[in-house]
Amino acid sequence: MKNIDTIGHVTGKSVYLDDIPTISGTLHAAVVGSAIAHGKILKVDTTEALRLDGVVKVITCTDIPGENQIGGIVEDETLLAEDEVHYQGQPIAVVIAKTERDAHKAAKMVRIDYQELEPVTDPRIAKEKGLLLIPPRSFSMGNPSEVWSHCKYIVDDSIELGGQEHLYIETQGAYAYPVEGGYIKVHSSTQGPTAVQKTVARVLGLPMNLIEVDVVRLGGGFGGKEDQASGFAAMAALAAHITGKPVKLVLPRHDDMRMTGKRHPYSGDFRIGLTADLKILAFETTLYQNGGAAADLSPAIMERTLFHSTGSYYIPNTRVTVYSCKTNLPPNTAFRGFGGPQGMFVIESAIAKAAETIGVSAIEIQKANLLKENDEFQYGQKAENVNARKCFALASEKFDLENLRKSIENYNQNNKYSKRGLAVMPLCFGISFTNTAMNQARALVHIYQDGSVSVSTGAIEMGQGVNTKMAQVASILLGIDISRVKIHSTNTTRVANTSPTAASSGADLNGNALRIAIAALKKRLLKVAAELLECSDDELTIENETVIRNGEPTALKWNELVKKAHLKRVALTENGHYATPVIYFDKTKEKGHPFAYHVYGTGVVTVTLDCIRGTYTIDDVYIVHDFGNSINPLIDLGQVEGAVVQGIGWLTLEELAFDPKGRLLSNSLSTYKVPDIHFAPKSIQCIPLPTNGPELAVLRSKAIGEPPFMYGIAAYFAIHNAIKAFNPSYSIKLTAPLTPERVLMHLYQ
């Protein structure tokens, strides 16, 4: 079925934050950001700004009634800078005015004197200076140092991996207003309503029950609104609290790009050792994560990098260490894949470099080392229901991989200045928050007297179709038409203590909470039905809005059953609470069972390279993906296609650029290139792996948001292979993104 929001989107009726009707007297806020990347604040002069007609107030850190602290994992980030600034764009003040135009005009009139200090933007330099956000962490298995002598091939190299701008359509924003009774209501463009509620309460010095956060939908998130929405919501709430008026804060695109964190760039060194039969015997790597000026979610992202640093492969001897480095850039944050893509890029780079050194195809090394049942991951979990080899084999068969490779070889032999390349990306991605406590969710369900159903969960709709899946879960489990189900906004007064919609777990966690609530309601309804039909409730179920007895329809319909239950004073409201079983992780040992299950797949990407200009096209993407038992193949396929294009963009076109002073150079769509309709692959063919999904996936339908992003990694290596076809002496340079400028340099190395 289609996404239930489709008609609203295409007709312009869907309500986003900036579409919310404003209350009379609403004020507008603009953020004053630091002009330098590192320095002491000597003076903040608001005199000129306050003289501007329409300006109500300029808020600084001294106006905060609670704590000037918004750090989540580590308490190291102020809402508004106090004595020192640590990145360009860091919020120092908030201007409140009667119009949005006046607020932004006044923000430019706030004068700030600085004593500028030398910024650090390179994570390796930060590490040398001892500038770390948290202590380093390592995962290991076996003993690499003892087995290098047993390796026939040993390859060392380094990687430089760029970040990525989220570029969600809807920028960061919030609308806050005081409500009778002394509390504040906040509409926020956030993936984490509880995080916003908690942050606002802390900044205002109020208990959480006086802060209500409501989210209808987001115009995109991709992780950028998991944590960083909280600060901007807190600014709007602070302004509303101080002025006693409604306040709206919506960042202009340039401010959003300048003030917010991105996908983490990584720098790293690796060593890989293989036996004569291409088995990877040992793998060691040291990575330097560019965390930016504050921790934000960097510690958790660093952890996910560790979890996925061996990709889809079994490697018996490993040691992977990550340093989370503090630099004078905006605090980098969650982005689709959450550190997993960076970890997988490194192991794929090591395999590509080893293949080049040995003189074989990287595909041969990949194939020889894919995970098997009961293989152990370096974090201690045993691989179960492993579909890595099944996906690889099916992709090879369905897409005729051998003939595809031969056709590319023939093309390259017959074309001098146009070359084609191919690469394969196997996928293994763990599903669950790696912070075990976050793997919980709640759902509130009301069945009304007319048989209609109201559902509230902690899931945030941001274009991925989670509302549709929640409606499907309710419809399927209650046995009623989906038109009866209404999915409401995510609201902290209806569903409290939510985890953010992230880690690809939104449907699993909230869907399972919904399943539990519905099971309790259905049990009560069937008990009533059993009394009416004078039989045992074990004989009954509900299908197509009809009570079924031993497989045969009865005369008792859904509407009548609900009415009878209400008259019998049966509770038609239920809360469901779900906590993912089985999972745990011991950080003192770096071992455990952190994931409910893994998603597998294989992606094949072909490219064509113009060897005169250095430009390239992504020709075809062929995918075999492990959806489990998808409850909505149309939505899931859309997620695959979007993720692949976003993954390709990360490693090819999307180049984040900062100058040595920490100023963002790629600060607009004229200087930051994302894939458009002309760059997107000519075709994306995705076929599902025939398999049964795991019990811990909602209705056995596997998570879909993040895993397909990794297939984009194959495009990067396909381009390298095309370069190699033109310039056989070329030695792979593992720097990303692989922009046309870099390609041209490599072609004529």
Side-chain angles (χ1 to χ4, degrees):
M1 84 173 264
K2 292 182 179 178
N3 189 317
I4 60 176
D5 289 332
T6 300
I7 293 174
H9 292 345
V10 299
T11 58
K13 293 179 181 178
S14 296
V15 175
Y16 294 87
L17 182 98
D18 215 18
D19 300 317
I20 297 170
T22 54
I23 302 167
S24 177
T26 293
L27 302 175
H28 296 266
V31 183
V32 179
S34 171
I36 64 172
H38 192 200
K40 302 283 187 180
I41 298 175
L42 302 178
K43 182 181 180 182
V44 177
D45 185 355
T46 63
T47 307
E48 189 178 348
L50 287 169
R51 286 190 185 131
L52 186 68
D53 189 40
V55 173
V56 175
K57 186 169 180 61
V58 179
I59 296 172
T60 64
C61 62
T62 58
D63 296 303
I64 294 173
E67 295 181 53
N68 185 22
Q69 182 55 241
I70 61 172
I73 298 175
V74 180
E75 295 184 357
D76 66 346
E77 185 175 2
T78 58
L79 177 69
L80 298 174
E82 296 176 350
D83 304 316
E84 192 170 334
V85 289
H86 301 280
Y87 62 93
Q88 285 209 13
Q90 181 176 352
I92 297 173
V94 181
V95 176
I96 313 301
K98 292 180 179 179
T99 69
E100 187 176 7
R101 182 176 181 178
D102 286 343
H104 287 289
K105 185 177 180 180
K108 295 176 182 177
M109 299 167 71
V110 175
R111 303 297 174 217
I112 304 172
D113 295 333
Y114 306 94
Q115 178 190 339
E116 193 165 358
L117 303 173
E118 188 67 27
V120 175
T121 60
D122 187 311
R124 290 181 185 261
I125 293 174
K127 192 266 178 180
E128 289 174 6
K129 291 177 175 287
L131 299 173
L132 299 179
L133 293 167
I134 60 169
R137 288 179 65 182
S138 296
F139 280 9
S140 63
M141 187 166 70
N143 195 332
S145 59
E146 290 185 356
V147 299
W148 292 114
S149 59
H150 302 297
C151 297
K152 181 173 176 62
Y153 308 104
I154 298 175
V155 178
D156 300 87
D157 212 326
S158 300
I159 63 100
E160 294 295 333
L161 185 54
Q164 188 175 23
E165 165 64 44
H166 297 89
L167 213 72
Y168 25 64
I169 296 176
E170 178 187 39
T171 59
Q172 300 276 5
Y175 182 37
Y177 47 88
V179 180
E180 181 185 358
Y183 72 93
I184 302 286
K185 184 163 184 175
V186 182
H187 298 275
S188 172
S189 183
T190 178
Q191 294 172 238
T194 294
V196 168
Q197 181 190 25
K198 192 174 180 180
T199 302
V200 170
R202 185 177 191 180
V203 169
L204 299 188
L206 296 174
M208 289 174 68
N209 68 348
L210 292 184
I211 310 298
E212 176 187 352
V213 179
D214 189 85
V215 184
V216 176
R217 63 172 60 82
L218 312 186
F222 309 118
K225 296 174 181 175
E226 180 178 345
D227 190 73
Q228 301 212 339
S230 299
F232 298 107
M235 291 177 204
L238 174 64
H241 184 69
I242 289 173
T243 63
K245 298 282 189 179
V247 176
K248 179 184 277 191
L249 188 162
V250 177
L251 291 188
R253 177 65 64 187
H254 282 85
D255 283 356
D256 191 287
M257 295 182 76
R258 183 171 63 99
M259 293 178 173
T260 63
K262 324 298 181 190
R263 182 186 294 282
H264 288 73
Y266 275 63
S267 183
D269 309 305
F270 66 79
R271 167 177 276 199
I272 189 169
L274 298 88
T275 61
D277 59 355
L278 303 183
K279 293 284 185 166
I280 303 173
L281 191 57
F283 177 61
E284 285 189 320
T285 183
T286 300
L287 301 176
Y288 306 93
Q289 178 198 63
N290 193 330
D296 194 273
L297 294 173
S298 294
I301 291 162
M302 178 179 90
E303 185 176 68
R304 178 71 76 158
T305 298
L306 289 163
F307 279 121
H308 290 93
S309 58
T310 54
S312 301
Y313 312 107
Y314 172 66
I315 306 175
N317 301 280
T318 66
R319 179 171 296 280
V320 182
T321 301
V322 185
Y323 292 89
S324 186
C325 304
K326 182 174 181 176
T327 62
N328 295 114
L329 300 180
N332 287 316
T333 193
F335 201 128
R336 198 175 198 164
F338 205 75
Q342 292 95 321
M344 293 188 193
F345 176 84
V346 179
I347 184 62
E348 294 299 331
S349 294
I351 288 173
K353 200 67 184 180
E356 179 185 70
T357 302
I358 298 167
V360 299
S361 167
I363 296 172
E364 303 309 313
I365 299 176
Q366 291 172 324
K367 191 174 177 181
N369 292 279
L370 288 171
L371 286 160
K372 302 187 300 294
E373 196 70 16
N374 293 319
D375 278 345
E376 186 176 339
F377 294 100
Q378 59 179 343
Y379 46 86
Q381 184 168 342
K382 291 291 182 70
E384 299 173 346
N385 302 310
V386 179
N387 291 324
R389 291 172 182 262
K390 292 177 184 177
C391 289
F392 201 98
L394 188 60
S396 298
E397 175 194 340
K398 290 291 185 181
F399 303 125
D400 199 358
L401 185 57
E402 193 55 41
N403 278 333
L404 190 58
R405 292 170 67 181
K406 288 179 180 177
S407 70
I408 288 174
E409 289 173 6
N410 290 336
Y411 180 93
N412 290 340
Q413 288 172 3
N414 295 315
N415 291 273
K416 184 175 182 181
Y417 292 108
S418 177
K419 299 295 182 182
R420 299 192 68 206
L422 174 150
V424 174
M425 178 63 198
L427 168 68
C428 171
F429 192 84
I431 302 300
S432 288
F433 285 103
T434 54
N435 180 345
T436 304
M438 295 175 72
N439 294 284
Q440 57 175 302
R442 277 148 295 285
L444 174 65
V445 182
H446 301 307
I447 301 176
Y448 293 99
Q449 294 175 51
D450 64 353
S452 61
V453 177
S454 163
V455 173
S456 295
T457 73
I460 298 292
E461 175 61 56
M462 54 188 125
Q464 84 281 37
V466 73
N467 278 357
T468 303
K469 289 188 174 182
M470 293 303 98
Q472 285 185 273
V473 170
S475 169
I476 291 167
L477 295 180
L478 284 172
I480 61 176
D481 191 272
I482 199 166
S483 63
R484 288 191 181 273
V485 181
K486 166 65 176 173
I487 305 297
H488 288 272
S489 64
T490 308
N491 187 291
T492 55
T493 64
R494 289 196 300 271
V495 179
N497 304 319
T498 61
S499 291
T501 300
S504 304
S505 63
D508 277 356
L509 291 177
N510 294 282
N512 276 310
L514 180 55
R515 173 183 58 79
I516 291 167
I518 287 173
L521 288 166
K522 197 169 179 181
K523 184 176 181 180
R524 291 176 207 150
L525 289 171
L526 290 179
K527 186 176 180 181
V528 172
E531 292 173 4
L532 295 171
L533 297 171
E534 297 181 344
C535 65
S536 169
D537 54 2
D538 292 337
E539 302 174 39
L540 303 178
T541 187
I542 304 171
E543 298 175 16
N544 299 319
E545 306 205 348
T546 300
V547 176
I548 307 294
R549 180 179 180 184
N550 293 328
E552 295 295 326
T554 70
L556 186 57
K557 301 297 183 181
W558 170 258
N559 276 12
E560 186 64 21
L561 176 57
V562 171
K563 287 178 184 177
K564 294 292 187 183
H566 174 66
L567 291 172
K568 288 178 176 288
R569 299 185 295 176
V570 171
L572 296 178
T573 289
E574 186 60 59
N575 273 293
H577 174 85
Y578 177 73
T580 311
V582 180
I583 58 173
Y584 69 93
F585 194 71
D586 185 344
K587 291 185 180 182
T588 63
K589 300 177 181 177
E590 303 290 24
K591 301 290 181 183
H593 190 288
F595 300 117
Y597 59 87
H598 291 80
V599 173
Y600 296 92
T602 296
V604 180
V605 178
T606 64
V607 304
T608 299
L609 176 59
D610 181 333
C611 301
I612 300 296
R613 298 173 179 85
T615 58
Y616 43 80
T617 59
I618 310 299
D619 296 330
D620 298 293
V621 178
Y622 305 103
I623 296 168
V624 171
H625 189 76
D626 174 17
F627 294 97
N629 304 94
S630 174
I631 62 173
N632 197 315
L634 193 61
I635 283 178
D636 286 350
L637 181 59
Q639 285 292 289
V640 168
E641 292 174 347
V644 167
V645 174
Q646 194 172 46
I648 291 171
W650 170 48
L651 292 175
T652 56
L653 298 179
E654 298 185 45
E655 185 171 30
L656 277 177
F658 292 87
D659 70 11
K661 291 289 188 180
R663 181 171 65 95
L664 180 66
L665 301 176
S666 50
N667 63 351
S668 71
L669 287 173
S670 65
T671 52
Y672 185 80
K673 176 65 176 168
V674 294
D676 56 22
I677 192 66
H678 302 291
F679 181 81
K682 293 178 181 177
S683 75
I684 299 177
Q685 298 181 46
C686 178
I687 60 175
L689 178 73
T691 184
N692 282 321
E695 289 185 11
L696 297 182
V698 61
L699 300 184
R700 296 184 179 271
S701 180
K702 283 192 172 184
I704 191 63
E706 294 169 296
F709 182 92
M710 317 305 156
Y711 297 133
I713 294 173
Y716 177 88
F717 292 104
I719 294 169
H720 273 301
N721 289 335
I723 295 170
K724 194 91 172 172
F726 177 78
N727 179 4
S729 64
Y730 167 65
S731 179
I732 294 178
K733 299 293 186 294
L734 297 167
T735 299
L738 195 51
T739 59
E741 292 88 344
R742 284 201 175 101
V743 169
L744 197 61
M745 299 288 284
H746 296 333
L747 284 165
Y748 298 95
Q749 181 180 313

